[in-house]
Amino acid sequence: MPSTGDASVLFPTALRESYRQLGLEGRSVLLAVSGGADSMALLVGTAGVSESLSLRVEVATLDHGLRQEAQAEVQAVVQLAARWELPCHVIPLQLSPGSGLEARAREARYAALEALRRERGLQVVATAHTASDQAETLLMRLVRGTALRGAAGIHRARPFLVRPLLERTREEVEAFLAEEGVSFVTDPMNQDPAFFRTRIRHEVLPVLARAAGFPVAPRLAAFARLAAEDEALLSGLADGAWSRLSLPDGSLDAVGVRALEPPLRRRVLARLLAESGAEVDEASLARVLRAVETGRPVSLGGGRARGALQLRTAGGRVRCVRREAVAPVEPPPVLVLAGEGASGVQPGTGWTFTVATVPPPPGTLGLPLPEETRWPLTVRTRGPGDRVRGPAGSRKLQDVMVDRRIPAERRGLLPVVTDAEQTVLWVPDVWNSTSAAAVRLFLWASPPVPSVAGPPPL
């Protein structure tokens, strides 16, 4: 029979409250149980509070196929679940030893648990991570170097995943099992000093506790919980800043980026790098932050990108560009418009042009064409020495584009309309000639329609 000691009262009470805070009262859960102390306590504790919570409970145990003892451990879980009359599912994974075993095993576990959760129609998977696991994770990340997002550690809840024991320590778990008379197994990997987590658990945390004079795991876990709350707030603010500062061409408003507080600026720039396929690490962010302050371009690590990337801040925009796209090897072919009724798409730029007798409809750019227009018109891209003429005289088209803050990588891809004598008449949405002469025709221009894709969350 279970004991009625302090742990047998306090542990279920805390677990019941945790399930309520997670919004699971009257719902359903799949418990991931390995046979270790934490997960066995999760099984027994959840079974004990399930009736008061109207909680439907099922159990899953996984055999990684790495140790001969695993079969006996699986049977121990099956028997304990049967004692509480809980459905139990055994999932074989059959992993192979080798490099990256921890990461491969973790990925396989979560994939198998999620598949079973969907198959059984259960709301969430519950794992038995504790405050002690949280403390170990926090120390590991701090030693390796992390920002606030990493300091948040193990999240208490994710979509379809909860960790109801995250505020209970390993000592509380084992005290509860001792009073309940429930045995558990110890995975030899948890004693292997080859793993960083094991060294943190057995060598670092005990030293910190002795130096402090009290158990430090609960306090480290509490810090991680507060860091998670702060990170959620800052991420929401960064999402808002991203929405405000995003420009139609995928760049960011440089003045607005510089005005952000450093925590938001880092997050917004990290998102820009990630969406461009660049590497996002401490060194890359430091270079990018300096580039934004100085206005100088900076090279970025390739990451997923196929070509070398640069971050540029000229023209009032912060943007990532592929260096090979700045100067195309060959300019797009030209489009020739012979007169009234002529139309076509300029190959390479995607702009559509039409010569019509009426002004363009709303949403379409237009250039009035006077009687003396010299035909045919040619639509091409910018060439060396191109100049435009206005009331103040002649100027280089390059200087006009700089004044209009056209990004360098786009200047060679914009359509330029010239007449039969190669005089520049129009650069749609950038510059156009003016004439007081009688207008006979209109040149319509429509840019290519961009694809629309929602940004990922920060």
Side-chain angles (χ1 to χ4, degrees), residues 105-122:
R106 181 171 57 251
E107 183 177 346
R109 278 197 303 272
Y110 281 113
L113 290 167
E114 173 58 15
L116 180 60
R117 181 197 69 80
R118 292 196 303 266
E119 178 186 328
R120 299 294 299 170
L122 301 166

Side-chain angles (χ1 to χ4, degrees), residues 330-337 344-353 376-388 397-398 401 410-428 431 443 445:
E330 294 182 2
V334 301
L335 170 67
V336 177
L337 302 170
V345 177
Q346 184 189 11
T349 70
W351 282 73
T352 302
F353 290 86
L377 304 183
T378 299
V379 185
R380 57 173 174 80
T381 52
R382 179 171 59 107
D386 275 346
R387 303 184 71 87
V388 298
L397 178 56
Q398 162 78 6
M401 290 187 171
R410 290 188 57 227
R411 295 171 196 163
L413 300 174
L414 292 175
V416 176
V417 180
T418 65
D419 63 12
E421 297 181 1
Q422 293 301 306
T423 300
V424 177
L425 302 180
W426 193 26
V427 182
W431 180 89
L443 180 60

Side-chain angles (χ1 to χ4, degrees), residues 114-437:
E114 173 58 15
L116 180 60
R117 181 197 69 80
R118 292 196 303 266
E119 178 186 328
R120 299 294 299 170
L122 301 166
Q123 260 88 34
V124 294
V125 171
T127 65
H129 292 88
T130 65
S132 301
D133 296 312
Q134 182 74 287
E136 293 160 7
T137 299
L138 174 62
L139 290 177
M140 291 168 65
R141 292 183 179 179
L142 289 175
V143 168
R144 288 168 171 161
T146 188
L148 186 61
R149 179 173 297 181
I154 304 169
H155 289 259
R156 190 182 183 207
R158 291 286 199 188
F160 310 113
L161 178 68
V162 297
R163 287 150 178 145
L165 297 185
L166 203 54
E167 295 181 13
R168 309 274 68 81
T169 65
R170 193 166 292 121
E171 291 73 20
E172 292 176 86
V173 162
E174 294 183 1
F176 171 68
L177 291 179
E179 292 188 5
E180 292 292 319
V182 176
S183 61
F184 57 89
V185 299
T186 300
D187 189 337
M189 290 178 62
N190 292 334
Q191 307 296 325
D192 188 347
F195 296 105
F196 187 29
R197 180 179 292 274
T198 301
R199 299 195 297 274
I200 291 287
R201 177 178 301 173
H202 295 293
E203 299 174 22
V204 177
L205 276 171
V207 172
L208 285 177
R210 286 197 298 271
F214 52 78
V216 297
R219 289 162 174 80
L220 292 172
F223 170 79
R225 183 178 67 253
L226 296 176
E229 294 176 1
D230 292 349
E231 171 60 27
L233 173 63
L234 286 170
S235 292
L237 294 174
D239 283 342
W242 176 273
S243 298
R244 293 194 308 274
L245 301 177
S246 294
L247 301 174
D249 63 359
S251 63
L252 299 171
D253 177 76
V255 174
V257 170
R258 293 188 184 103
L260 292 173
E261 294 293 334
L264 300 183
R265 193 183 314 150
R266 282 195 300 272
R267 285 165 172 78
V268 167
L269 291 173
R271 177 167 173 174
L272 179 66
L273 297 185
E275 293 199 358
S276 301
E279 293 176 354
V280 184
D281 53 29
E282 184 180 2
S284 298
L285 273 178
R287 293 198 306 272
V288 165
L289 287 165
R290 285 196 298 272
V292 170
E293 291 174 359
T294 62
R296 297 175 181 173
V298 64
S299 296
L300 303 171
R304 301 186 305 274
R306 294 182 179 177
L309 286 170
Q310 276 192 333
L311 181 127
R312 299 186 172 191
T313 58
R317 293 175 171 85
V318 181
R319 61 204 185 276
C320 293
V321 299
R322 303 194 191 284
R323 284 183 290 186
E324 69 268 25
V326 174
V329 176
E330 294 182 2
V334 301
L335 170 67
V336 177
L337 302 170
E340 181 180 338
S343 65
V345 177
Q346 184 189 11
T349 70
W351 282 73
T352 302
F353 290 86
T354 301
V355 181
T357 58
V358 295
T364 301
L365 303 174
L367 175 72
L369 297 172
E371 292 277 0
E372 63 270 21
T373 296
R374 296 178 288 269
W375 298 89
L377 304 183
T378 299
V379 185
R380 57 173 174 80
T381 52
R382 179 171 59 107
D386 275 346
R387 303 184 71 87
V388 298
R389 184 171 298 278
S394 176
R395 294 187 66 198
K396 291 182 179 180
L397 178 56
Q398 162 78 6
D399 294 341
V400 173
M401 290 187 171
V402 171
D403 289 347
R404 292 296 304 272
R405 297 186 174 183
I406 305 300
E409 65 274 9
R410 290 188 57 227
R411 295 171 196 163
L413 300 174
L414 292 175
V416 176
V417 180
T418 65
D419 63 12
E421 297 181 1
Q422 293 301 306
T423 300
V424 177
L425 302 180
W426 193 26
V427 182
D429 211 25
V430 175
W431 180 89
N432 64 277
S433 58
T434 57
S435 174

